[in-house]
């Protein structure tokens, strides 16, 4: 059992080291963002499960089934296990997914009904009075798609539909959860080299995945034009536009 445990821990370590290298240096992730996002989740799951099961196997090795953690042998042993459980609990609390303050502000704006709502391509969109170009998707029951009047005024009808389709894809594909989990892990274990890479990669991959869904809905051309208007000056906007041409 000790050997199996050590092998599992070693495999988990290999996954944690290798997965970020493979997933951040492979060109295929640009063309297949959803597969890449699933691969990140699988790598995290295998890494965590491998560590937990591996360590458990090493701890309970050669102990009687009636008392696998050896609580009966030493009075301090139970204390050690309690400390270990507390450490796990602290990690879970640190990883806890919480919405950012900007999400709360947007949610409040949508809930208050201050912004006029408009049906765009079958989606209820809150139009917020603001000069700068802004579009976002807020998850949750009181969430939805929000577009600024400054952006809506710049876009043609098909381009606005492309923006809405992109934001709607963020909601239907639960991208906020993927980003929040990746960012929480980054906050909890910033010293793990792959954690930062995963957060950065996830933020980009969800944009590509939402673009692919929107392009299927409205066509690549309308979406590319919309990206250039809404986000043409940023590096990510430029990559998104070139992906669509
Ligand atoms: Zn987006």
């Amino acid at each position: 059992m000790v050997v199996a445990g050590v092998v599992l821990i070693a495999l988990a370590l290999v996954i944690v080291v290798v997965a970020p290298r493979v997933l951040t240096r492979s060109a295929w992730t640009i063309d297949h963002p959803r597969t890449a996002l699933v691969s990140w989740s699988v790598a995290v799951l295998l890494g965590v499960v491998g560590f937990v099961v591996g360590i458990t196997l090493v701890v309970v090795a050669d102990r009687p089934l009636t008392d696998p953690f050896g609580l009966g042998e030493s009075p301090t042993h139970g204390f050690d296990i309690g400390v270990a459980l507390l450490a796990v609990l602290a990690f879970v609390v640190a990883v806890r997914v919480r919405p950012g303050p900007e999400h709360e502000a947007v949610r409040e704006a949508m809930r208050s009904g201050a912004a006029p709502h408009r049906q765009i391509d079958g989606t209820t969109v809150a139009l917020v009075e603001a000069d700068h170009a802004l579009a976002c998707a807020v998850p949750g029951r009181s969430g939805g798609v929000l577009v600024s009047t400054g952006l809506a005024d710049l876009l043609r009808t098909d381009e606005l539909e492309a923006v809405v389709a992109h934001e709607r894809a963020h909601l239907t594909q639960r991208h906020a959860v993927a980003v929040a989990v990746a960012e929480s892990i980054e906050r909890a274990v910033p010293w793990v080299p792959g954690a930062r890479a995963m957060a950065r990669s996830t933020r980009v991959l969800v944009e590509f995945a939402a673009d692919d869904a929107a392009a299927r809905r409205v066509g690549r051309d309308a979406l590319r034009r919309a990206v250039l208007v809404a986000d043409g000056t940023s590096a990510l906007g430029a990559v998104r536009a070139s992906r669509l041409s």
Side-chain angles (χ1 to χ4, degrees):
M1 277 229 284
V2 176
V3 174
V6 170
V7 168
L8 269 178
I9 293 168
L11 277 178
L13 263 174
V14 168
I15 289 167
V16 167
V17 171
V18 170
R21 280 164 199 268
V22 172
L23 287 168
T24 52
R25 288 181 204 169
S26 309
W28 66 264
T29 59
I30 296 173
D31 293 325
H32 304 281
R34 292 195 79 182
T35 311
L37 284 168
V38 171
S39 305
W40 275 116
S41 310
V42 170
V44 168
L45 206 64
L46 285 179
V48 171
V49 170
F51 267 120
V52 172
V53 174
I55 287 169
T56 308
L57 284 181
V58 170
V59 169
V60 303
D62 303 325
R63 292 194 184 276
L65 280 176
T66 46
D67 186 16
F69 291 100
L71 293 176
E73 286 170 22
S74 141
T76 60
H77 203 69
F79 179 75
D80 292 345
I81 289 171
V83 169
L85 285 176
L86 267 180
V88 171
L89 190 70
F91 181 77
V92 171
V93 169
V95 170
R96 193 170 51 98
V97 176
R98 46 197 156 203
E102 71 283 356
H103 269 181
E104 279 310 313
V106 173
R107 198 169 278 153
E108 188 50 46
M110 299 197 74
R111 203 169 19 218
S112 68
H117 289 59
R118 196 168 123 194
Q119 286 291 321
I120 298 172
D121 194 21
T123 301
T124 308
V125 176
L127 273 177
V128 176
E129 199 72 43
D131 288 338
H132 59 275
L134 168 88
C136 67
V138 183
R141 247 184 309 142
S142 53
V145 174
L146 181 145
V147 176
S148 70
T149 50
L151 178 60
D153 291 345
L154 290 174
L155 298 172
R156 286 169 29 177
T157 306
D158 60 343
E159 294 164 357
L160 183 56
E161 284 174 0
V163 167
V164 171
H166 172 100
E167 297 305 330
R168 194 173 46 214
H170 279 318
L171 295 176
T172 54
Q173 296 182 13
R174 309 239 181 282
H175 289 161
V177 176
V179 171
V181 168
E183 288 183 344
S184 301
I185 291 174
E186 184 190 24
R187 271 199 304 272
V189 286
W191 62 88
V192 173
R196 188 159 299 174
M198 180 169 79
R200 202 171 32 210
S201 173
T202 302
R203 282 190 289 266
V204 173
L205 289 171
V206 295
E207 295 308 323
F208 293 167
D211 279 347
D212 289 348
R216 279 193 297 274
R217 173 96 189 164
V218 299
R220 300 172 85 85
D221 191 48
L223 178 62
R224 192 177 53 82
R225 278 184 273 118
V227 168
L228 286 173
V229 171
D231 195 26
T233 53
S234 81
L236 179 58
V239 175
R240 286 174 61 200
S242 79
R243 251 186 109 243
L244 294 163
S245 53

